[in-house]
Amino acid sequence: SSELTQDPAVSVALGQTVRITCQGDSLRSYYASWYQQKPGQAPVFVIYGKNNRPSGIPDRFSGSSSGNTASLTITGAQAEDEADYYCNSRDSTGNHVVFGGGTKLTVL
Amino acid sequence: EVQLLESGGGLVQPGGSLRISCAASGFTFNIYAMSWVRQAPGRGLEWVSAIGASGDSTYYADSVKSRFTISRDNSKNTLYLQLNSLRVEDTAVYYCAKNLASYSNYIDYWGQGTLVTVSS
């Protein structure tokens, strides 16, 4: 399968911890990466590989993976974390890249 | 500072063609794979195509294969996407994106995008 499935929407109280998940068969073979997108802006690279943060990404963002599920965890969510989050991975053939449908995170 | 500046978007009729470009700066262009990712209005991200650092390897989503052609000119630090046989469903913001290293799903920098509208 070349699909990655994400929950359409998730909410979290300010300062609490939230996990955003991404499911797909290809995640058994390839690590996901995660992107944050705010309205009207380009995506921002936030997590890749086993659990790597690009320079400038706060350490409250972390990643993990188990079986066919990759997760992005925000520990102590801030108001500025409200955004759409997308996962991606290679597909099962390894030749193509696929994105999940995105998760809209609301910080209450 | 990495900068990716797309250009060439616009309104085109169904069946028409367009070439969009991406001028890159702030990094050694010829050692990184590059990608195009699009986003239809109000929709999610969709990977379109990628090209290896030297230009010898190219990759396409099934939805655009045989209609779109990715290329690069390393002497001009520029990435291109030739869009042919355009369909209404190709309407989207097209983002130029830099891969973290070689071809993979890791995209570390994105341009601001150029809007392609396919309509009669």
Side-chain angles (χ1 to χ4, degrees), chain A residues 31-33 35 37 40-45 48-49 86 88-90 94-101, chain B residues 37 39 43-47 59-62 65 95 100 103-113:
Chain A
Y31 283 116
S33 54
Y35 303 85
Q37 188 180 34
Q41 298 183 17
V44 172
F45 189 43
Y48 68 100
Y86 295 90
N88 80 356
S89 176
R90 303 275 197 114
N95 291 326
H96 297 163
V97 172
V98 290
F99 280 90
Chain B
V37 178
Q39 187 169 34
R43 304 294 296 273
L45 301 173
E46 180 187 13
W47 175 79
Y59 310 86
Y60 297 95
D62 290 343
K65 195 175 176 70
Y95 291 105
L100 184 62
Y103 171 59
S104 75
N105 56 301
Y106 303 155
I107 296 173
D108 60 349
Y109 288 95
W110 301 66
Q112 286 304 305

Side-chain angles (χ1 to χ4, degrees), chain B residues 6-30:
Chain B
E6 302 94 338
S7 61
L11 176 63
V12 61
Q13 291 188 337
S17 297
L18 201 63
R19 188 177 81 160
I20 58 178
S21 303
C22 170
S25 61
F27 64 102
T28 306
F29 183 71
N30 63 7

Side-chain angles (χ1 to χ4, degrees), chain B residues 48-106:
Chain B
V48 173
S49 183
I51 187 168
S54 66
D56 289 348
S57 300
T58 58
Y59 310 86
Y60 297 95
D62 290 343
S63 58
V64 307
K65 195 175 176 70
S66 78
R67 300 189 300 123
F68 291 8
T69 302
I70 191 171
S71 61
R72 63 192 296 162
D73 185 337
N74 285 346
S75 68
K76 295 182 178 179
N77 288 356
T78 302
L79 176 71
Y80 303 100
L81 187 67
Q82 177 70 40
L83 296 75
N84 295 334
S85 303
L86 281 161
R87 305 168 180 167
V88 171
E89 56 265 33
D90 294 319
T91 295
V93 172
Y94 284 73
Y95 291 105
C96 167
K98 172 187 169 294
N99 284 68
L100 184 62
S102 57
Y103 171 59
S104 75
N105 56 301
Y106 303 155

Side-chain angles (χ1 to χ4, degrees), chain A residues 21-94:
Chain A
T21 61
C22 173
Q23 290 188 300
D25 288 344
S26 65
L27 297 176
R28 298 183 186 279
S29 304
Y30 300 101
Y31 283 116
S33 54
W34 291 91
Y35 303 85
Q36 176 194 69
Q37 188 180 34
K38 297 181 180 179
Q41 298 183 17
V44 172
F45 189 43
V46 294
I47 289 288
Y48 68 100
K50 194 172 185 180
N51 180 19
N52 299 294
R53 276 178 294 106
S55 174
I57 301 302
D59 61 6
R60 63 179 179 272
F61 290 88
S62 63
S64 61
S65 184
S66 178
N68 73 336
T69 301
S71 301
L72 172 70
T73 299
I74 307 174
T75 303
Q78 302 299 302
E80 61 264 32
D81 299 334
E82 188 163 287
D84 294 328
Y85 290 86
Y86 295 90
C87 63
N88 80 356
S89 176
R90 303 275 197 114
D91 71 358
S92 298
T93 70

